[in-house]
Structure formats: C-alpha cells, structure tokens
Amino acid sequence: MTTSQDRTCRSMGIVLLWGAFVLWGSFACDLALVSSRSYRFLATIIAAPVLIWPFLTKKPQLALGVPLALVLSGALMLHFAP
Amino acid sequence: MTPVLRARLSWLHRWTALVAGWIVFAIFFTGTLSLFDAELTRWMQPESAEILPEQPLSDQALEHAMQILRDDERQGKPSAFLSLPSARDPLLHIFRYDGHALIGPALNPRDGRLIATRQTEGGAFFFNFHYTLRLPSPWGEYLVALTTFFLSLLILSGVLLHLSRLIPDYFTLRLHAATPRCLLDLHVLTGTAMLPFHIMITWTGLFLLGNIAFPLISHDAAPLPPAVVEHHHLPTFLLAPLVHKTERLTGNAVTYILFSAEHIAIYSLRPDSLSIHDTPMTFDNVTGQAVAPPPPDRVERAEALLTGLHMAHTMGPVLRWLWFLGGLAATVMVASGLVFHTARRRASARQLTSPRLERLNAGIMSGLVFASLAYLWTNRLIPYDWKDRSMLEITTLFVLWGSTALLAFGLPRAVLWSVPLALTALAGLGIPLLDLLTGPSHLWRHSLFLSVDAVCALTGLAALSGALWMRPRT
C-alpha cells in the first residue's frame, strides 16, 4: 500500500467513526437507553480520542475496517430497532 | 513514539491545519473579542456613557419598558424580552433577535426614558460571527461544528507530537533564531502554556454545537408541525413585585425577563460563577402566581457548567481577562503555526504552493485584525442618523477584509507582511485619538472607554512590532 493510500484509508476511518457515533447514538436514543442530551455529552467527551484512533493504529486496513464495521453494524441496529 | 507514527501524526496535524486553519483563526479571534461584547457595544454607543454602572433599576423604568412591549404587541411586532441592568451593561434593554444579533431600544434604568443610541450591532457582531461566520443559518453553524472537529484533532495530534517536550517547551522561545525555528517556538509555547484552556474551550465548543456535530437519526420521525407564531400575552399587572420577589428568593439581581404564551420567566444569574445555572423563577402571566419548575437534573447542571465555561457570561473580570489571554494565546498559536508552515517550506526550497499560501496567510489573518479595528473606526465616522448604519459598518468590515486579502496578492514579497501590519498598526494606534475626538466628554472618567482604547493601541503596537520583525525576514 502506498503512503497516499495509507493516508486515504486513515482519513476515511475518521469520517466513518463520526458516522458510527451518529448511528450508534441514534440507536441508543431510539431505544431510550440514554437521553439525547446524555449521549451528546458523552460523545463530546470521547470524540477526539476516538476520531484520532485511525492515525494511531499500525495497520491502515484496521483503521478503515473497524470504523466501517461500526458504521454498518450501527446502520443495521438502527434499521431493525423495535 | 516511533518515527512512522510521528510522521503520520505530523501529516494529520499539517493537513488539518491547512484545511481549517484560517477559519479556526477567525473563530478564535472573534471569540476572544466577544468575551467583551457588552463592553464593545457600549464603546460603540458613546451616547450611553452618561449612564454609569451600578445605577439601580426603578419600578417606573420597568413599567415603562412593559408599556413599550405592550404597544409593540398591539402593533404585531415579533416577540421580545427584557435585559435588566448589570455591572457590565447598566442599561435596560428591550431585545429582539433579528436573525444575527439582539437589537432593540435602550432605556435609562432610572426613569425608563429612551436613550437615543446609534444603530450598531456592536460587540454582538463578533459573538455572532464566532459561531455562524455570518453565513446563513444553519450553514454557518455546520461549518463551525466541522471546524471544531478539525480543531479537536489538531490539538490532540499536536499534544501527542510534543508530549515528550511538553515541559521544556514552556521555557523555549528563541526570537533571534531563524524564522521557522522562532515561529515554531512561538507556536509550541502558546500551545503548551495555555493547553488546559485550549482543550477546555474546544471541548465545550463542540458540546455547545452538539445538536449539529452529533445529529440524531430517527427512522420513525414524524414530520414537523407547521410553525406557529407564538403570541406573548404580556401581563397586565405590575412586574416590579415579581422582580423583587425573585431577587429576594435567589439573592441575585435579575438579569433577563422572558415572556411566553403562559408564563413569565425571570432569570437571575449568579455573578462571579463558572456555571450559567439559569433556572428561572416562573410566574403565571395572568394571575402572577409562582409556578414551580422541575428541579434541574445532573445533566442540566453539567450543561450549565460547560456553557458557562465556554461563554464566560457570568464570570468576574479577573477570570474574564484570563479567558481573554487564553483566547489571545490560541489565536497566536494558530497564526504562528500557519506562518511556520510556509516559512519552513520556503526555507527548505519546496516552492510548490508556498507563495500563494504565504499571501493568503498575510491577507486573511492580518486583514481580519485590520478590518475589526476599521469596524470601530466606521462606527464613529458614519453619521449618527445614517440609514442602515449597522449594516454599513459590517459591510465595511467585510470589504476591507477582502481588500486586504486581495492586496496581499499584489504586494511585492518583501513588504507582504509589512503593509497589512502597518495598516493595522495605524488603525489601532489611531483609536485613542478617534475616541478623544468623537467619544463622550470627560473620557478620562470612563474606565471602559480607556480600556478599549488601550487594548486597540496595544494591538497597534503589536502589529507595528510584527511589521518591523517580519520586514527583514520576507
């Protein structure tokens, strides 16, 4: 993998992690597991350390794969939420 | 930290800064100014200087304000609220939101007489620009939320990059070193010295934009009901007894009075506090009976603390000045980081995009400082009764900012920084003279006017030093 591909994967990972925040947060609020205000409070606290993770991990495949899995699982959970 | 990880984080830090740097600079600069928004508005409305702080609000003035509100309601004007005199703003205001700022008449707190102040957005312009960039809603807020994400990544990657040298960086500033080295020292020093402030202000900023930064998707969302124009139903009884009762019960002076269809909400914010804990005393607007609101839960208290920490509305002067220094350090951190990037590229003879970036740096950053000072000049120079004078002030600011950015593209490289910085120095150093000629009589009696003049003159001096420092280096 070239340096440019490596960085593209990691940058995409950041965007996807944000998407995962939105989807999993919406799912949790939809099921009333957490109030929307508490979710935003918690999301704000952990956002920066989580979003930078794709640039800290060694493998670019992991930096893209984990956020992608989180987004897809979040979308599925939200879709099939009762 | 391995060299590979370091290179990755450097790339992230550099490119995030290049994408969002100028917006971050504008947000920090205007945010720093908006810490003193009420004071700037008073400076820009010298007609109000006759009202000195700590004048008590009379029942007659309050009733007069209510009468104006009732007349406005009969004429079908949009809803408004009352802002009561405080240590920072001794006037009684009737405020309406015009889409950008709170505007409305100012009354004398002693007798309710209208004070003929000039039409201006004053310091509220900087406050509004700080979180909307003066773009149409909600696009401005979206862009600011996105920029705040970038900023949080910038700060965290910067901290990780400098973690091993955090303590030595506190004591390193080599002004006589080569330009890139000196700029990097300044960038790291302003970053580390106020690091807790930078983290706090970014985190609380992201929290305030939480609705936009972390939207919620609901698959069974009902369509929004059509907007209903809410009418006030202003109370017909005297408001003063309710205000006195609130002050007696809370032990604090009343700050705002809001009116809804059923209730009157009287807010008394605790002064010299970090938290904007603003649970109001609520009264029925027909009977005047107190209505007990639900007690605030823990999340509400945390929200009030985060809002208070970011906005500094209830802080005392010492903390407010400390926040101002923090904002200034953040602004210098961003500016020195951006200039460092181009200086390093030039030093290492990688000339791909550096000249254009260098010109944009000079035009956008010094242009904003110059245009902000020119905003104060325009306020005093436009005739008092000019039609749409507040819009003219703002237009002038944007035109001058844009012109400085364009000017930077036409200037020879040797004077690229000197010319806009010299203009800024002239504008800043001239403000005290302008205030002396157009400000209130007995200027020396007003510490507020003297403070604004002093800060502008110091900005002018800093710009002059910058122009002289940059001249042999460009």
Side-chain angles (χ1 to χ4, degrees), chain B residues 303-386:
Chain B
E303 280 177 354
L305 178 64
L306 294 184
T307 311
L309 279 172
H310 191 91
M311 296 173 96
H313 271 332
T314 44
M315 284 178 190
V318 176
L319 268 184
R320 193 179 293 277
W321 276 107
L322 189 65
W323 256 232
F324 183 81
L325 285 178
L328 216 54
T331 312
V332 173
M333 173 185 73
V334 177
S336 54
L338 285 166
V339 180
F340 162 73
H341 175 75
T342 52
R344 193 183 61 168
R345 285 178 78 89
R346 188 142 56 87
S348 61
R350 281 185 286 169
Q351 293 276 346
L352 284 174
T353 54
S354 187
R356 232 171 294 162
L357 283 180
E358 205 171 0
R359 288 177 190 283
L360 280 170
N361 272 342
I364 291 175
M365 293 195 290
S366 57
L368 177 59
V369 184
F370 167 62
S372 300
L373 288 166
Y375 177 59
L376 303 184
W377 275 86
T378 323
N379 169 266
R380 290 293 179 84
L381 294 180
I382 300 174
Y384 169 84
D385 51 358
W386 192 278

Side-chain angles (χ1 to χ4, degrees), chain A residues 27-80:
Chain A
F27 170 70
C29 292
D30 227 26
L31 286 190
L33 298 174
V34 64
S35 73
S36 61
R37 283 157 59 221
S38 307
Y39 149 66
R40 285 188 177 120
F41 186 71
L42 289 171
T44 314
I45 294 173
I46 59 170
V50 170
L51 291 182
I52 208 170
W53 175 81
F55 272 79
L56 298 179
T57 189
K58 276 185 183 170
K59 293 184 177 174
Q61 293 89 344
L62 207 62
L64 182 64
V66 171
L68 191 62
L70 283 171
V71 163
L72 290 175
S73 57
L76 281 173
M77 296 296 274
L78 187 63
H79 183 72
F80 292 111

Side-chain angles (χ1 to χ4, degrees), chain B residues 12-28 133 143-154 334 338 364-365:
Chain B
L12 177 70
H13 193 74
R14 189 166 60 245
W15 277 97
T16 318
L18 281 176
V19 171
W22 293 309
I23 305 177
V24 173
F25 175 83
I27 290 173
F28 269 134
L133 302 173
L143 189 55
V144 173
L146 181 66
T147 309
T148 315
F149 272 120
F150 277 105
L151 179 60
S152 61
L153 287 176
L154 265 172
V334 177
L338 285 166
I364 291 175
M365 293 195 290

Side-chain angles (χ1 to χ4, degrees), chain A residues 7 10-11 18 22-23 26 30 36-41 43-45 47-49 51-52 55-57 78-79 81, chain B residues 5 8 11-12 149 152-153 156-157 203 206-207 210-211 213-219 297 299-300 302-303 306:
Chain A
R7 284 167 184 167
R10 292 175 195 278
S11 305
W18 173 80
V22 172
L23 293 167
S26 303
D30 227 26
S36 61
R37 283 157 59 221
S38 307
Y39 149 66
R40 285 188 177 120
F41 186 71
T44 314
I45 294 173
L51 291 182
I52 208 170
F55 272 79
L56 298 179
T57 189
L78 187 63
H79 183 72
Chain B
L5 178 59
R8 266 205 311 267
W11 183 87
L12 177 70
F149 272 120
S152 61
L153 287 176
L156 191 55
S157 56
W203 176 41
L206 195 59
F207 172 77
N211 286 353
F214 301 104
L216 289 175
I217 302 165
S218 181
H219 55 350
D297 57 22
V299 178
E300 256 177 280
E303 280 177 354
L306 294 184

